Amino acid sequence: WLRRYGLAATGGAIVLAWILVAIFATALAPWPYEQVDVTRRLLPPSAENWLGTDLLGRDLFSRVLFGSRISLQLGLISVALGALPGITLGLVAGYYAGLIDTLVSRFVDALLAFPGPIVEAHMSNIWKREPLSRRALIQSPIYCNMTGAASTSKPPKQWPSSPCPSP
């Protein structure tokens, strides 16, 4: 099993560890993340401060542990905002097929023709303070493609009639 799913298992273990760190950050952090001590500013890594301290004397290791909470929240919100319209549009295109499927597919292909980071950089000029919306708009076509391909409606196959007469 590990040979076949080794990378997936490793990725899952990393994500699980990250989630556990986010949940138990208060127990794992050696210092409160917001505690300011200007007498201890810019200290190098040591046994007391594993990653050192910042300009205000705050422990960087504690801040990284608590920062994992925000990163996980933003990641989940961004994926949800991208998946909802993408899956909805993909289901509509796959179910109705024909002209609607063609129009949605061409629109999605046009969006996917440009690299995501470049589109996001251009969109940052339009939406100054909406990073989640930009990320969701870039992810939506990917979900739309996957869902549309999986939900394309096909007529049911007819089973051949039996050569033997029924009694």
Side-chain angles (χ1 to χ4, degrees):
W1 182 85
L2 197 56
R3 280 188 183 177
R4 185 170 184 173
Y5 302 109
L7 288 176
T10 303
I14 291 170
V15 170
L16 180 65
W18 192 11
I19 290 171
L20 290 174
V21 164
I23 291 171
F24 298 111
T26 52
L28 296 173
W31 299 91
Y33 74 96
E34 74 279 349
Q35 179 181 353
V36 175
D37 185 3
V38 291
T39 60
R40 303 180 46 80
R41 54 189 293 234
L42 298 174
L43 291 177
S46 64
E48 195 174 352
N49 302 100
W50 290 0
L51 297 178
T53 59
D54 64 2
L55 284 169
L56 297 176
R58 298 174 296 196
D59 182 51
L60 290 177
F61 181 68
S62 298
R63 295 183 67 76
V64 167
L65 291 179
F66 279 95
S68 66
R69 291 178 173 180
I70 296 170
S71 298
L72 279 173
Q73 289 172 356
L74 289 177
L76 290 174
I77 291 170
S78 173
V79 168
L81 285 176
L84 187 66
I87 290 173
T88 304
L89 196 58
L91 284 174
V92 167
Y95 182 76
Y96 288 110
L99 180 64
I100 293 174
D101 184 29
T102 303
L103 291 174
V104 169
S105 295
R106 294 308 147 245
F107 177 70
V108 167
D109 289 344
L111 289 176
L112 290 174
F114 301 101
I118 293 174
V119 173
E120 190 169 4
H122 285 293
M123 287 188 330
S124 67
N125 290 328
I126 299 168
W127 294 324
K128 299 287 185 201
R129 297 186 178 254
E130 294 292 333
L132 289 178
S133 299
R134 293 192 308 252
R135 198 77 224 141
L137 188 64
I138 290 170
Q139 290 176 347
S140 288
I142 298 166
Y143 289 109
C144 184
N145 255 359
M146 288 189 302
T147 309
S151 68
T152 302
S153 57
K154 296 177 183 163
K157 293 183 177 178
Q158 295 293 327
W159 291 96
S161 59
S162 174
C164 303
S166 55

